[in-house]
Amino acid sequence: MSLANLLFLAVATAAVAALGLLGWRYSRLLERLDGERLEWRREAHRQAWEEARARFHQWQQEELENQRRAIRQVEEQRADNLLQAYKRQAERRIRQDAITRSGSVLRGQAAEHLAPYLPEFRFLPNEARFLGSPVDFVVFEGLSQARCERVVLVEVKSGKSSLSTRERRVRDAVRQGRVEWEEVRLPHGAPPDNPPQGVGEPDGPRSPVIVEPPAE
């Protein structure tokens, strides 16, 4: 074999080797590119999934908050309706109770003022003087006949009503004999002890004066 052929064979072999090396590097580059492309796709998918999940979570929270707000509004409206209905019912009951109590009070006051003219009242009407508080009447028994045999404190009750604390204290003081007589002398220039006829208290019966008792 001639030198030219050997040289050509060597060049050809070198060229084939270079082409093989280039092919191998190209294939490695393609594999690397394919790996990077696959990794990029995975990263893109991961980011897209994370973003989609974040958006879904945000939408879910907003939707839940909207639902809560709607339910709260419905419940508040329902509670307000129930409250208004209860107020109306309570107002009707209070009005009815006030009417009933007012009627009872008026009937009781009327019975107290008419008590001296009822058969249950054991004293003469013209000997009773209305006080109203802390007792209803003071009776000066025998006063209509120009004498006073005794003084009686009378409390009028109707129905099943009971004595108040102040009334019981007055009753106990009378029963225990803690009752006294005291004269008050006014200074000079005061009205006379015996006013002229028609100026003082009349001897006959008088209309009772309504005196509201103080709150206990």
Side-chain angles (χ1 to χ4, degrees), residues 115-118 121-129 137 139 204-206:
Y117 305 97
L118 298 179
F121 199 81
R122 300 185 298 105
F123 307 97
L124 295 176
N126 60 349
E127 294 179 350
R129 300 295 182 267
F137 292 93
V139 177
R206 63 176 180 177

